[in-house]
Amino acid sequence: MAPQNAESTVGSLLRRYRLAAGLSQQELATGAAVSVRTIRDIEHERVDAPRAPSLRRLAEALGLAAFDRDRLLAALPGPRPAPDSDRRLRVEVLGPLSVRAGSAAVDLGPTPQRDLLALLALQPGRVVSRDEIVDVLWGDEPPKTCLSMVQTYVGRLRARLDPDREPRSPGKVIRLAGDGYAIDLGPAELDLAQFQELVERGTGTHDAPTAVDLLDRALRCWRGPVLAGVNPRLRSHPAAVATSRQRVRAALAYADLAADLGLHEAAVARLQELVPDEPLHEGVTAKLMVALAGSGERAAALSLFAEVSRRLADELGVEPSAELRDIHLRILRQEQVVRRADPRPRQLPAAVPGFTGRAAHLERLDALLPREGASQGTAVVISAIDGTAGVGKTALAVHWAHRVADRFPDGQLYVNLRGFDPAGPVPPDEAVRGFLDALHVPGQRIPVGLDAQSALYRSLLAGRRMLVVLDNALDADQVRPLLPGSPGCLVIVTSRNQLAGLVAAEGAHPVPLDLLDPDEAARLLARRLGADRVAAEPAAVAAIVTACAALPLALVIVAARAATRPGLSLAALAEELRQARGGLDAFSGTDPATDVRAVFSWSYRSLSEPAARLFRLLGLHPAADLSTSAAASLAGLPAAEVRPYLAELARARLLAEHTPGRYAFHDLLRAYAAELAAQTHESEERHAAVRRLLDHYLHTAYAADAQLNPHRDQITRTKPQPGVTIDEMGTQRHALAWFAAEHTTLLAVVERTDTDGWDTHTWQLAWAVTTYLDRQGHWHDWTQVQEFALTAARRLGHRADEADAHRGLARAYARVGRFVDAHVHYWRALDIFGEIGDWLGEANTHRNLAFMCGAQGHQRDALYHARKALDLYRAGDHRVGEANALNNVGWYHAQNGEHREALEYCEQALALLRELDHRPGVAATLDSIGYAHHHLGNQREAVASFQQALEMFRAAGDRSHEAGTLTRLGDAHQAAGEREKARRAWRQALVLLDELEQPEADEVRGKLAGLVG
């Protein structure tokens, strides 16, 4: 063996062995008495001389497990240089794009790849959709293969940014999320995150010297205009524009504080750095003129005014603002230019310490602001922020208000309307009176009556630019008397209720607020407890976030507890929360405003009795997401009758209707509802409600499975109880959509049935979801539910059901590569089926064994089991089984190189399957026929068969088989000399294989690489 191939051989052999044996790196390392690092180094082909003895021990330990020990020992490489110990990543976007790993620059590849990284880095933690990526990279004329190219770029960037990432494992820096990608970089890794953290700390402290130092450090993060020298579409992206505005705001805040402390020269230095990028920004010019005059450079200040005046006239056709002209006049008169005392109201509460996340919501609020220099429009701008209790509505409103306060020179008004306070809401006349006091209206001038007071209030705000924050409103009626009557003002309203009346009548812009995502929640804890403390215990942080349901109020309570107990590890705190078992006692306190249970109760007490009963029963649901039909089944009511109560709960923000007909509430609200259910309803009533819910999921899933797999051998189900709503499944597409919507919920329901001992429902639900989970590639989920099914069948003592559960679990294990475990369960199933005389179970198991042996490369064994299945189906006159087995026999003949025999069996199968109208079987058989034709050199026939199969797999939502057929279609196109068609098919296959995390993805990447040039 040539030395240059040695490492590749070692890594390849070890990866193939580990996947075939279904072992993780940890399991393999433990069995071989070596470290996980050693396993990883071998697989990634990073092996140096000192590890050679460990490799020999590894080879010996694997010698009895069909591993090629001699080749491994022969492949041991010679010495290699030690890797760079400092591989810390640093991404910089505040200036030209720069990426370094330790001291070495990272090659980011072609321009679109660099632009993709820049786009993600501009928005750390935010999911950037594929459509947005395509728009930025290619504009109005993207290539047809743009989505595949995006995925390729992401893969290459991951390889450069995550060099230690395991193959096919999720990226640590760039992650797939929803319909796009997000980059996860903190202040130590991203200059933008560092800048934002320093600015937040600087603007959040009342200590002026500390604030100046923090803002100075923030501004030093900048090396020029954001993303200088990149794609113009990227530089004009809203995130880039918003980042530039953050720099301006930070510089202006720094200049004010520096002037107060007499640090005029420092202010000049920072502002002059900004002038080349903001030559016409009058706010920057004004601050710089003040700083120059304060540092004794009066002539420079006057020269700056003259230069800016000329530019404004030449480029915009306008004169300098009144503020600039006033500063200019005072400098000419040699008056001291300092900030004067401001009598205007500044009622905003202190900025929320440690505020984090909410980037998308802040962008929506920013969009309400008029463009600088534009007219104010003809109406008051109103934003209505709504969300459930404790979700951080006030924190968002106050944080944003502080960010934009400089856009409202006439001041800010704030009132807490206490809409859900146990003592009752603040009357509108009291709130208006408070605003009139803040506007310095003498008591004797305040008229009697709400209407007259509101009229005076509106008159005082006419022509002014004011920011008004109306916090914690009960409803629109409480808000209306506090709204200004003329443009120029902006009003922010927060409420637990959806203020639909305010949106409809006053044109308010709704900003619904949901829970933090896990990354935002972790950053909140880091801001409260320190980044080092949080980074030291990532697993504990994740557990705390889960226990708090990512609810900001709960996270703040837990952070306060941790802050007052610095010696307590976060792991210990997470254990305390775990022992609370999802209850609310862990979040209680003496202050009702920060007691989660008390805060929730204020919303609950406002409900009608039917809505309150429904809320309590929803606490019995095992998942956070449910449909109208599920809620109706819990309540034992028709769906039409329960809809108004769901709407009432949504208006009270105790539920969120995230899509039409589907509702969700976070875990702590569900825990609160469960507490109320236990206190209010007898155990018999709770038991009946849960039984109705389980019947709903079982019978609806059964109906959906019948659409996806109509020829499947059926089971006898438990009968549904009265009051159960069962959704109808009219089409295969309807069934797929239902399963997709209920996927996560169904997993939670199966787990709850296992925990609570609903054994019959457990194995029957597991049976009903099998087709969907298998075809969609959710094989790890399938494994989990089948493990529950096997436990339930054993508890019930049903031998046939136990055998079928063994077979189902073996199928799932085979799908995830755990072949050793799959063999054990297949043979256990065969033993039981033989004992009870179930020939059909034996036939099905032999057919499944054929699939697994084929996946392991044992094609002769696969053909043996396929023939056994065919004989059993024929003996039992099971025509569907016979037809599918004929295709299996044909396929494994083809895998053994016997392609003409393969066609003979597959054509028999195709005729029978078409007669039976078995579409999944027809699709699979067409794929087999295409494969045989391809290897016989009949590429036209192969392509035609593959394309027919592909259409049918796509219609059935069978992503796994779709990926395989696309791969083989690409092979046929290449053999026919159609390189572009081959490339297109392989790229589509690669997208699916990567999403399914299948090892075949690497093989397809190799095919694509072979087409380059």
Side-chain angles (χ1 to χ4, degrees), residues 787-864:
E787 288 171 345
F788 290 141
L790 179 57
T791 301
R794 282 171 168 166
R795 284 198 296 244
L796 289 168
H798 298 168
R799 297 285 282 162
D801 297 338
E802 180 184 347
D804 201 59
H806 276 295
R807 186 175 72 89
L809 182 55
R811 291 178 64 200
Y813 279 154
R815 281 295 201 183
V816 298
R818 294 177 58 177
F819 296 122
V820 174
D821 293 328
H823 269 293
V824 171
H825 287 281
Y826 273 138
W827 288 105
R828 185 61 184 138
L830 280 176
D831 289 344
I832 298 176
F833 283 135
E835 291 171 11
I836 62 177
D838 186 341
W839 64 267
L840 181 57
E842 288 187 78
N844 290 335
T845 306
H846 277 294
R847 185 170 168 234
N848 298 146
L849 273 164
F851 168 82
M852 188 182 69
C853 290
Q856 292 181 279
H858 307 316
Q859 305 303 340
R860 285 295 170 191
D861 292 341
L863 182 59
Y864 165 80

Side-chain angles (χ1 to χ4, degrees), residues 420-694:
F420 298 87
D421 195 290
V426 173
D429 59 347
E430 182 180 325
V432 172
R433 176 63 184 262
F435 282 171
L436 293 175
D437 289 341
L439 294 167
H440 305 290
V441 178
Q444 64 271 21
R445 285 192 53 210
I446 297 178
V448 177
L450 176 60
D451 290 343
Q453 291 171 356
S454 295
L456 175 59
Y457 164 70
R458 289 192 295 273
S459 298
L460 291 171
L461 264 60
R464 297 196 187 190
R465 292 174 59 191
M466 262 191 159
L467 181 62
V468 182
V469 180
L470 307 177
D471 194 18
N472 199 16
L474 176 64
D475 52 30
D477 289 338
Q478 190 187 20
V479 167
R480 286 193 176 99
L482 306 174
L483 299 179
S486 57
C489 296
L490 189 147
V491 182
I492 310 172
V493 186
T494 75
S495 178
R496 296 187 192 181
N497 286 326
Q498 294 173 327
L499 301 177
L502 207 61
V503 174
E506 275 74 29
H509 301 264
V511 182
L513 202 59
D514 206 344
L515 302 173
L516 296 171
D517 67 37
D519 293 334
E520 290 177 329
R523 288 200 292 272
L524 185 152
L525 292 175
R527 295 285 173 86
R528 298 272 176 157
L529 302 177
D532 292 343
R533 187 174 180 188
V534 168
E537 297 185 75
V541 169
I544 290 171
V545 170
T546 300
C548 293
L551 182 70
L553 175 61
L555 288 164
V556 168
I557 293 171
V558 171
R561 184 177 305 171
T564 59
R565 302 161 70 186
L568 181 70
S569 71
L570 297 184
L573 184 58
E575 178 61 20
E576 288 182 8
L577 296 175
R578 188 192 66 79
Q579 291 179 0
R581 299 181 182 278
L584 302 181
D585 290 341
F587 309 102
S588 61
T590 57
D591 182 358
T594 57
D595 184 303
V596 170
R597 188 183 284 109
V599 172
F600 290 166
S601 72
W602 300 340
S603 295
Y604 171 72
R605 286 197 298 267
S606 69
L607 299 173
S608 66
E609 175 47 37
R613 173 181 179 268
L614 177 61
F615 177 71
R616 295 191 297 268
L617 292 178
L618 292 179
L620 304 176
H621 196 285
D625 180 87
L626 76 163
S627 65
T628 301
S629 299
S633 298
L634 264 174
L637 298 172
E641 188 174 337
V642 84
R643 285 193 184 97
Y645 308 139
L646 288 167
E648 182 178 349
L649 293 174
R651 286 193 300 272
R653 302 302 300 190
L654 292 171
L655 279 184
E657 188 177 12
H658 57 88
T659 57
R662 293 201 70 82
Y663 298 83
F665 58 166
H666 59 71
D667 290 345
L668 297 182
L669 268 174
R670 190 163 79 252
Y672 178 61
E675 281 186 3
L676 295 173
Q679 295 165 7
T680 309
H681 301 289
E682 298 292 337
S683 61
E684 292 81 3
E685 186 179 358
R686 299 198 303 273
H687 185 276
V690 172
R691 171 62 189 270
R692 291 193 299 269
L693 179 72
L694 299 181

Side-chain angles (χ1 to χ4, degrees), residues 704-711 731-740 769-778 815 917-924 947-963 965 992:
D705 182 78
Q707 283 291 339
L708 299 185
N709 198 353
H711 297 281
T731 65
Q732 189 175 85
R733 180 174 296 180
H734 189 184
L736 275 172
W738 184 85
F739 270 124
V769 301
T770 284
T771 302
Y772 171 76
L773 294 179
D774 185 20
R775 290 184 182 176
Q776 289 291 300
H778 300 302
R815 281 295 201 183
D917 193 27
H918 192 301
R919 294 181 64 80
V922 169
Q947 288 177 335
Q948 292 179 65
L950 197 57
E951 291 176 7
M952 299 178 78
F953 284 137
R954 284 172 172 164
D958 192 339
R959 301 199 307 155
S960 175
H961 282 101
E962 179 187 350
T965 299
L992 289 170

Side-chain angles (χ1 to χ4, degrees), residues 220-239:
R220 288 177 184 273
C221 293
W222 287 78
R223 298 167 292 112
V226 61
L227 290 175
V230 300
N231 184 336
R233 283 188 297 270
L234 189 53
R235 294 201 303 276
S236 62
H237 189 276

Side-chain angles (χ1 to χ4, degrees), residues 330-383:
R330 290 161 63 196
I331 294 174
L332 285 172
R333 293 173 178 172
Q334 299 189 18
E335 296 176 358
Q336 186 179 9
V337 186
V338 295
R339 292 194 297 162
R340 292 173 287 189
D342 193 349
R344 292 166 291 187
R346 306 285 184 181
Q347 291 191 324
L348 290 180
V352 179
F355 184 90
T356 188
R358 305 301 194 193
H361 299 88
L362 291 169
E363 287 178 9
R364 291 185 64 179
L365 291 169
D366 284 341
L368 301 179
L369 294 169
R371 295 189 305 276
E372 293 189 24
S375 66
Q376 294 299 314
T378 59
V380 177
V381 178
I382 307 169
S383 171

Side-chain angles (χ1 to χ4, degrees), residues 891-904:
W891 172 257
Y892 294 116
H893 269 301
Q895 295 301 301
N896 284 293
E898 300 154 358
H899 302 297
R900 297 198 181 280
E901 293 88 341
L903 281 177
E904 179 182 343

